[in-house]
PDB file of all heavy atoms in Angstrom:
ATOM      1  N   PHE A 126     -14.356 -21.972 -14.696  1.00 88.00           N
ATOM      2  CA  PHE A 126     -14.362 -20.848 -13.767  1.00 88.00           C
ATOM      3  C   PHE A 126     -15.308 -19.761 -14.278  1.00 88.00           C
ATOM      4  O   PHE A 126     -16.142 -19.251 -13.542  1.00 88.00           O
ATOM      5  CB  PHE A 126     -12.944 -20.278 -13.616  1.00 88.00           C
ATOM      6  CG  PHE A 126     -12.848 -19.114 -12.686  1.00 88.00           C
ATOM      7  CD1 PHE A 126     -12.732 -19.296 -11.318  1.00 88.00           C
ATOM      8  CD2 PHE A 126     -12.877 -17.809 -13.173  1.00 88.00           C
ATOM      9  CE1 PHE A 126     -12.644 -18.214 -10.457  1.00 88.00           C
ATOM     10  CE2 PHE A 126     -12.789 -16.723 -12.331  1.00 88.00           C
ATOM     11  CZ  PHE A 126     -12.676 -16.924 -10.962  1.00 88.00           C
ATOM     12  N   SER A 127     -15.190 -19.422 -15.537  1.00 85.00           N
ATOM     13  CA  SER A 127     -16.081 -18.445 -16.168  1.00 85.00           C
ATOM     14  C   SER A 127     -15.941 -18.563 -17.677  1.00 85.00           C
ATOM     15  O   SER A 127     -14.867 -18.886 -18.194  1.00 85.00           O
ATOM     16  CB  SER A 127     -15.740 -17.023 -15.719  1.00 85.00           C
ATOM     17  OG  SER A 127     -16.504 -16.076 -16.434  1.00 85.00           O
ATOM     18  N   GLU A 128     -17.017 -18.275 -18.379  1.00 85.00           N
ATOM     19  CA  GLU A 128     -16.996 -18.295 -19.840  1.00 85.00           C
ATOM     20  C   GLU A 128     -16.960 -16.887 -20.428  1.00 85.00           C
ATOM     21  O   GLU A 128     -17.201 -16.711 -21.621  1.00 85.00           O
ATOM     22  CB  GLU A 128     -18.230 -19.035 -20.371  1.00 85.00           C
ATOM     23  CG  GLU A 128     -18.255 -20.502 -19.991  1.00 85.00           C
ATOM     24  CD  GLU A 128     -19.443 -21.245 -20.567  1.00 85.00           C
ATOM     25  OE1 GLU A 128     -20.573 -20.971 -20.116  1.00 85.00           O
ATOM     26  OE2 GLU A 128     -19.228 -22.086 -21.477  1.00 85.00           O
ATOM     27  N   ASP A 129     -16.624 -15.903 -19.601  1.00 85.00           N
ATOM     28  CA  ASP A 129     -16.616 -14.513 -20.058  1.00 85.00           C
ATOM     29  C   ASP A 129     -15.455 -13.758 -19.424  1.00 85.00           C
ATOM     30  O   ASP A 129     -15.633 -12.893 -18.572  1.00 85.00           O
ATOM     31  CB  ASP A 129     -17.953 -13.843 -19.715  1.00 85.00           C
ATOM     32  CG  ASP A 129     -18.044 -12.429 -20.276  1.00 85.00           C
ATOM     33  OD1 ASP A 129     -17.505 -12.198 -21.370  1.00 85.00           O
ATOM     34  OD2 ASP A 129     -18.635 -11.567 -19.610  1.00 85.00           O
ATOM     35  N   ILE A 130     -14.223 -14.102 -19.842  1.00 86.00           N
ATOM     36  CA  ILE A 130     -12.999 -13.528 -19.285  1.00 86.00           C
ATOM     37  C   ILE A 130     -12.242 -12.812 -20.406  1.00 86.00           C
ATOM     38  O   ILE A 130     -12.253 -13.244 -21.560  1.00 86.00           O
ATOM     39  CB  ILE A 130     -12.113 -14.626 -18.671  1.00 86.00           C
ATOM     40  CG1 ILE A 130     -12.847 -15.301 -17.520  1.00 86.00           C
ATOM     41  CG2 ILE A 130     -10.790 -14.045 -18.164  1.00 86.00           C
ATOM     42  CD1 ILE A 130     -13.212 -14.403 -16.379  1.00 86.00           C
ATOM     43  N   ARG A 131     -11.582 -11.723 -20.053  1.00 88.00           N
ATOM     44  CA  ARG A 131     -10.744 -11.028 -21.041  1.00 88.00           C
ATOM     45  C   ARG A 131      -9.593 -11.927 -21.481  1.00 88.00           C
ATOM     46  O   ARG A 131      -9.108 -12.761 -20.712  1.00 88.00           O
ATOM     47  CB  ARG A 131     -10.193  -9.729 -20.453  1.00 88.00           C
ATOM     48  CG  ARG A 131     -11.268  -8.686 -20.162  1.00 88.00           C
ATOM     49  CD  ARG A 131     -10.667  -7.443 -19.533  1.00 88.00           C
ATOM     50  NE  ARG A 131      -9.714  -6.807 -20.430  1.00 88.00           N
ATOM     51  CZ  ARG A 131     -10.015  -5.845 -21.303  1.00 88.00           C
ATOM     52  NH1 ARG A 131     -11.268  -5.419 -21.378  1.00 88.00           N
ATOM     53  NH2 ARG A 131      -9.097  -5.299 -22.072  1.00 88.00           N
ATOM     54  N   LYS A 132      -9.122 -11.727 -22.715  1.00 82.00           N
ATOM     55  CA  LYS A 132      -8.103 -12.605 -23.295  1.00 82.00           C
ATOM     56  C   LYS A 132      -6.695 -12.326 -22.786  1.00 82.00           C
ATOM     57  O   LYS A 132      -5.854 -13.227 -22.771  1.00 82.00           O
ATOM     58  CB  LYS A 132      -8.116 -12.456 -24.819  1.00 82.00           C
ATOM     59  CG  LYS A 132      -9.304 -13.087 -25.522  1.00 82.00           C
ATOM     60  CD  LYS A 132      -9.153 -12.936 -27.025  1.00 82.00           C
ATOM     61  CE  LYS A 132     -10.307 -13.619 -27.758  1.00 82.00           C
ATOM     62  NZ  LYS A 132     -10.175 -13.478 -29.234  1.00 82.00           N
ATOM     63  N   GLU A 133      -6.396 -11.097 -22.402  1.00 84.00           N
ATOM     64  CA  GLU A 133      -5.025 -10.725 -22.071  1.00 84.00           C
ATOM     65  C   GLU A 133      -4.500 -11.525 -20.874  1.00 84.00           C
ATOM     66  O   GLU A 133      -5.243 -11.783 -19.917  1.00 84.00           O
ATOM     67  CB  GLU A 133      -4.947  -9.226 -21.756  1.00 84.00           C
ATOM     68  CG  GLU A 133      -5.314  -8.320 -22.911  1.00 84.00           C
ATOM     69  CD  GLU A 133      -6.794  -8.152 -23.096  1.00 84.00           C
ATOM     70  OE1 GLU A 133      -7.561  -8.619 -22.224  1.00 84.00           O
ATOM     71  OE2 GLU A 133      -7.192  -7.541 -24.107  1.00 84.00           O
ATOM     72  N   PRO A 134      -3.225 -11.911 -20.891  1.00 82.00           N
ATOM     73  CA  PRO A 134      -2.652 -12.691 -19.779  1.00 82.00           C
ATOM     74  C   PRO A 134      -2.772 -11.994 -18.424  1.00 82.00           C
ATOM     75  O   PRO A 134      -2.918 -12.653 -17.398  1.00 82.00           O
ATOM     76  CB  PRO A 134      -1.185 -12.865 -20.189  1.00 82.00           C
ATOM     77  CG  PRO A 134      -1.177 -12.708 -21.675  1.00 82.00           C
ATOM     78  CD  PRO A 134      -2.253 -11.722 -21.992  1.00 82.00           C
ATOM     79  N   GLN A 135      -2.708 -10.652 -18.408  1.00 86.00           N
ATOM     80  CA  GLN A 135      -2.792  -9.919 -17.145  1.00 86.00           C
ATOM     81  C   GLN A 135      -4.219  -9.796 -16.628  1.00 86.00           C
ATOM     82  O   GLN A 135      -4.476  -9.085 -15.643  1.00 86.00           O
ATOM     83  CB  GLN A 135      -2.170  -8.518 -17.283  1.00 86.00           C
ATOM     84  CG  GLN A 135      -2.870  -7.605 -18.271  1.00 86.00           C
ATOM     85  CD  GLN A 135      -2.267  -7.670 -19.660  1.00 86.00           C
ATOM     86  OE1 GLN A 135      -1.682  -8.684 -20.036  1.00 86.00           O
ATOM     87  NE2 GLN A 135      -2.372  -6.586 -20.413  1.00 86.00           N
ATOM     88  N   SER A 136      -5.163 -10.509 -17.276  1.00 87.00           N
ATOM     89  CA  SER A 136      -6.557 -10.492 -16.826  1.00 87.00           C
ATOM     90  C   SER A 136      -6.864 -11.583 -15.822  1.00 87.00           C
ATOM     91  O   SER A 136      -7.997 -11.691 -15.348  1.00 87.00           O
ATOM     92  CB  SER A 136      -7.503 -10.630 -18.035  1.00 87.00           C
ATOM     93  OG  SER A 136      -7.334  -9.554 -18.930  1.00 87.00           O
ATOM     94  N   VAL A 137      -5.880 -12.419 -15.503  1.00 89.00           N
ATOM     95  CA  VAL A 137      -6.061 -13.512 -14.536  1.00 89.00           C
ATOM     96  C   VAL A 137      -4.955 -13.421 -13.495  1.00 89.00           C
ATOM     97  O   VAL A 137      -3.794 -13.138 -13.825  1.00 89.00           O
ATOM     98  CB  VAL A 137      -6.029 -14.886 -15.230  1.00 89.00           C
ATOM     99  CG1 VAL A 137      -6.141 -16.015 -14.204  1.00 89.00           C
ATOM    100  CG2 VAL A 137      -7.144 -14.992 -16.269  1.00 89.00           C
ATOM    101  N   ALA A 138      -5.300 -13.629 -12.227  1.00 87.00           N
ATOM    102  CA  ALA A 138      -4.315 -13.592 -11.143  1.00 87.00           C
ATOM    103  C   ALA A 138      -4.688 -14.613 -10.085  1.00 87.00           C
ATOM    104  O   ALA A 138      -5.840 -15.062 -10.004  1.00 87.00           O
ATOM    105  CB  ALA A 138      -4.242 -12.197 -10.533  1.00 87.00           C
ATOM    106  N   PHE A 139      -3.712 -14.985  -9.263  1.00 88.00           N
ATOM    107  CA  PHE A 139      -3.951 -15.928  -8.173  1.00 88.00           C
ATOM    108  C   PHE A 139      -2.997 -15.610  -7.039  1.00 88.00           C
ATOM    109  O   PHE A 139      -1.952 -14.986  -7.229  1.00 88.00           O
ATOM    110  CB  PHE A 139      -3.777 -17.374  -8.646  1.00 88.00           C
ATOM    111  CG  PHE A 139      -2.492 -17.617  -9.392  1.00 88.00           C
ATOM    112  CD1 PHE A 139      -1.313 -17.906  -8.726  1.00 88.00           C
ATOM    113  CD2 PHE A 139      -2.475 -17.547 -10.775  1.00 88.00           C
ATOM    114  CE1 PHE A 139      -0.139 -18.128  -9.411  1.00 88.00           C
ATOM    115  CE2 PHE A 139      -1.299 -17.771 -11.475  1.00 88.00           C
ATOM    116  CZ  PHE A 139      -0.127 -18.055 -10.796  1.00 88.00           C
ATOM    117  N   GLY A 140      -3.359 -16.021  -5.822  1.00 87.00           N
ATOM    118  CA  GLY A 140      -2.513 -15.762  -4.655  1.00 87.00           C
ATOM    119  C   GLY A 140      -3.315 -15.854  -3.376  1.00 87.00           C
ATOM    120  O   GLY A 140      -4.253 -16.640  -3.260  1.00 87.00           O
ATOM    121  N   CYS A 141      -2.953 -15.010  -2.376  1.00 85.00           N
ATOM    122  CA  CYS A 141      -3.635 -14.929  -1.080  1.00 85.00           C
ATOM    123  C   CYS A 141      -3.550 -16.237  -0.300  1.00 85.00           C
ATOM    124  O   CYS A 141      -4.532 -16.660   0.324  1.00 85.00           O
ATOM    125  CB  CYS A 141      -5.095 -14.514  -1.260  1.00 85.00           C
ATOM    126  SG  CYS A 141      -5.334 -12.993  -2.192  1.00 85.00           S
ATOM    127  N   ASP A 142      -2.367 -16.892  -0.321  1.00 82.00           N
ATOM    128  CA  ASP A 142      -2.152 -18.073   0.511  1.00 82.00           C
ATOM    129  C   ASP A 142      -1.881 -17.601   1.934  1.00 82.00           C
ATOM    130  O   ASP A 142      -0.824 -17.071   2.232  1.00 82.00           O
ATOM    131  CB  ASP A 142      -0.975 -18.887  -0.027  1.00 82.00           C
ATOM    132  CG  ASP A 142      -0.728 -20.157   0.779  1.00 82.00           C
ATOM    133  OD1 ASP A 142      -1.424 -20.364   1.786  1.00 82.00           O
ATOM    134  OD2 ASP A 142       0.153 -20.944   0.394  1.00 82.00           O
ATOM    135  N   GLN A 143      -2.839 -17.781   2.828  1.00 76.00           N
ATOM    136  CA  GLN A 143      -2.746 -17.272   4.194  1.00 76.00           C
ATOM    137  C   GLN A 143      -2.181 -18.288   5.175  1.00 76.00           C
ATOM    138  O   GLN A 143      -2.489 -18.269   6.364  1.00 76.00           O
ATOM    139  CB  GLN A 143      -4.127 -16.802   4.652  1.00 76.00           C
ATOM    140  CG  GLN A 143      -4.681 -15.711   3.741  1.00 76.00           C
ATOM    141  CD  GLN A 143      -6.104 -15.346   4.083  1.00 76.00           C
ATOM    142  OE1 GLN A 143      -6.368 -14.721   5.107  1.00 76.00           O
ATOM    143  NE2 GLN A 143      -7.039 -15.745   3.235  1.00 76.00           N
ATOM    144  N   GLY A 144      -1.343 -19.202   4.669  1.00 73.00           N
ATOM    145  CA  GLY A 144      -0.647 -20.130   5.534  1.00 73.00           C
ATOM    146  C   GLY A 144      -1.263 -21.504   5.640  1.00 73.00           C
ATOM    147  O   GLY A 144      -0.686 -22.404   6.237  1.00 73.00           O
ATOM    148  N   ASN A 145      -2.448 -21.696   5.076  1.00 73.00           N
ATOM    149  CA  ASN A 145      -3.111 -23.000   5.170  1.00 73.00           C
ATOM    150  C   ASN A 145      -3.299 -23.640   3.793  1.00 73.00           C
ATOM    151  O   ASN A 145      -4.165 -24.481   3.608  1.00 73.00           O
ATOM    152  CB  ASN A 145      -4.478 -22.842   5.847  1.00 73.00           C
ATOM    153  CG  ASN A 145      -5.353 -21.810   5.140  1.00 73.00           C
ATOM    154  OD1 ASN A 145      -4.913 -21.189   4.181  1.00 73.00           O
ATOM    155  ND2 ASN A 145      -6.566 -21.640   5.618  1.00 73.00           N
TER     156      ASN A 145
END
Side-chain angles (χ1 to χ4, degrees):
F126 180 84
S127 174
E128 295 183 291
D129 185 35
I130 298 299
R131 294 178 62 92
K132 287 183 177 180
E133 297 81 8
Q135 63 267 26
S136 299
V137 177
F139 50 85
C141 306
D142 182 356
Q143 301 173 72
N145 55 357

